[in-house]
Amino acid sequence: MKKLTSLLVVLFAAILLVGCAPKNPEAAEEKLEDAGYTVTVDKQVQPGVYKVLGIDGVDAVVSAVRANEATEEEEGSIDTIYAVYFGDKADANEAFDKLEDEAKDKDESFSIEKSGNWIFYGSEQGMKDFK
């Protein structure tokens, strides 16, 4: 039942997000930098680690963070996004469950989504800025 629910969530998210995520890691880097994030694009180390862990087809991993200063009305916050770009959508589909577990291990509040060749997770604002 859990897998069926997960599949339905993935399908619903895919329908909502088609064409929303950046087309490639370079476009993601530019978009996030324009939004004030510090961005790292890794095309060697993290894809290699994922290969060792049995997740195939990772071309790049985009990590981004942005610190928001505190104001008199609100506390400071940090927006994050972690996005894995696959060369093939089939590899992304196959890896979703494993990356969903990884996202929940990092922070229970993180949501995870798939769009095209991307699987991404992070803070609520980070997710909005990535899309």
Side-chain angles (χ1 to χ4, degrees):
M1 184 67 176
K2 183 178 179 182
K3 287 193 180 232
L4 178 59
T5 303
S6 295
L7 179 61
L8 291 174
V9 168
V10 170
L11 290 174
F12 181 71
I15 291 169
L16 288 176
L17 298 175
V18 170
C20 294
K23 65 180 178 177
N24 58 41
E26 293 76 20
E29 179 179 26
E30 182 178 337
K31 182 177 187 176
L32 291 168
E33 284 178 345
D34 288 347
Y37 287 80
T38 300
V39 182
T40 302
V41 178
D42 182 356
K43 294 184 176 186
Q44 294 180 347
V45 176
Q46 289 175 306
V49 170
Y50 279 126
K51 178 94 173 148
V52 169
L53 295 175
I55 298 174
D56 295 323
V58 176
D59 281 358
V61 176
V62 177
S63 303
V65 63
R66 176 179 66 192
N68 303 303
E69 292 188 29
T71 65
E72 287 185 23
E73 296 82 31
E74 295 182 355
E75 289 185 24
S77 64
I78 296 178
D79 298 322
T80 61
I81 188 72
Y82 185 84
V84 181
Y85 183 78
F86 292 83
D88 185 357
K89 288 179 188 178
D91 287 331
N93 291 336
E94 191 173 311
F96 187 84
D97 287 339
K98 290 179 184 176
L99 289 176
E100 183 175 36
D101 291 341
E102 178 182 298
K104 295 300 177 192
D105 286 345
K106 288 189 179 190
D107 189 327
E108 280 294 321
S109 69
F110 283 170
S111 57
I112 183 168
E113 298 180 18
K114 181 188 171 307
S115 180
N117 292 31
W118 289 102
I119 295 176
F120 52 99
Y121 59 87
S123 63
E124 183 179 343
Q125 187 61 49
M127 297 286 282
K128 288 177 184 177
D129 291 338
F130 183 76
K131 296 180 216 177

